[in-house]
Amino acid sequence: MQIPASFHQGLSRGLPDILTIGIVKDAAGKYNPITLSWVMQTSWAPPLLVTSIAPSRHSFDAMRRSREFVIALPSESQIEATVLFGTASGRDMDKLERSGLATQPATKIDCVLLSDAIVNHECKLVDEFETGDHSIFVGEVVATHVNKDPAVRRIYAFAYTDYAAVKRDD
Ligand SMILES: Cc1cc2nc3c(=O)[nH]c(=O)nc-3n(C[C@H](O)[C@H](O)[C@H](O)COP(=O)(O)O)c2cc1C
């Protein structure tokens, strides 16, 4: 039997959410990481990823300005940094520097990759849609890089309010 619930309650019953790190160059020239759960693939050809970002985020204006971004899937060793990137703002600090995460230059866009992530996708912004209290940014993937160690483990977040990162069981 199904019983009525709030939208939030329904979301909290869901499976763990994907956790990604978006990286966008800001107006000061700083590469700013933001934790993003609202990311998905929306096309194979061309290869497109979308992410939904609220206008209040420092990353929002940076995205509109730079029109390019990286989407990285963080690995087990990057749990603390993922929480930092999702709770502090690039308005107040250099989050990448604070995290101490290793980076390397992107190859097709002006951005950086997270060296110890599972995968990094370099994206060029091709469209934007306002949707409620967030906007969807559509990125065409122009290069993808994977960790040379295929055994590196991913992390997830439990739905909505409980965003402590968790390890995959297998
Ligand atoms: C697990 C998790 C997932 C998040 N997903 C999103 C998201 O999909 N879109 C978004 O706009 N903010 C999301 N946030 C919030 C931003 O990461 C957070 O507000 C961040 O501090 C913004 O950084 P910035 O101001 O440097 O851009 C998420 C936070 C966490 C912890």
Side-chain angles (χ1 to χ4, degrees), residues 41-49 121-124 126 138-144:
Q41 179 183 358
T42 191
S43 170
W44 284 114
L48 299 177
L49 292 177
H121 299 287
E122 299 181 28
C123 303
K124 292 199 173 184
V126 293
V138 183
E140 177 162 359
V141 178
V142 294
T144 292

Side-chain angles (χ1 to χ4, degrees), residues 138-168:
V138 183
E140 177 162 359
V141 178
V142 294
T144 292
H145 311 263
V146 296
N147 198 305
K148 68 177 188 207
D149 178 0
V152 173
R153 299 207 304 175
R154 281 191 55 184
I155 52 175
Y156 293 82
F158 279 111
Y160 210 65
T161 51
D162 183 8
Y163 51 71
V166 295
K167 290 183 276 183
R168 204 174 69 173

Side-chain angles (χ1 to χ4, degrees), residues 17-20 22 24 26 30 32-39 51-62 82-93 95 133-135 137 156-165:
D17 287 328
I18 187 173
L19 260 184
T20 77
V24 192
D26 72 9
K30 171 164 56 72
N32 186 56
I34 172 175
T35 299
L36 296 169
S37 280
W38 294 358
V39 171
T51 182
S52 194
I53 301 180
S56 58
R57 318 296 189 221
H58 182 62
S59 304
F60 187 92
D61 293 334
T82 302
V83 174
L84 172 72
F85 299 160
T87 52
S89 177
R91 278 190 202 93
D92 309 319
M93 69 173 79
K95 290 193 270 185
D133 55 13
H134 283 58
S135 281
F137 293 96
Y156 293 82
F158 279 111
Y160 210 65
T161 51
D162 183 8
Y163 51 71

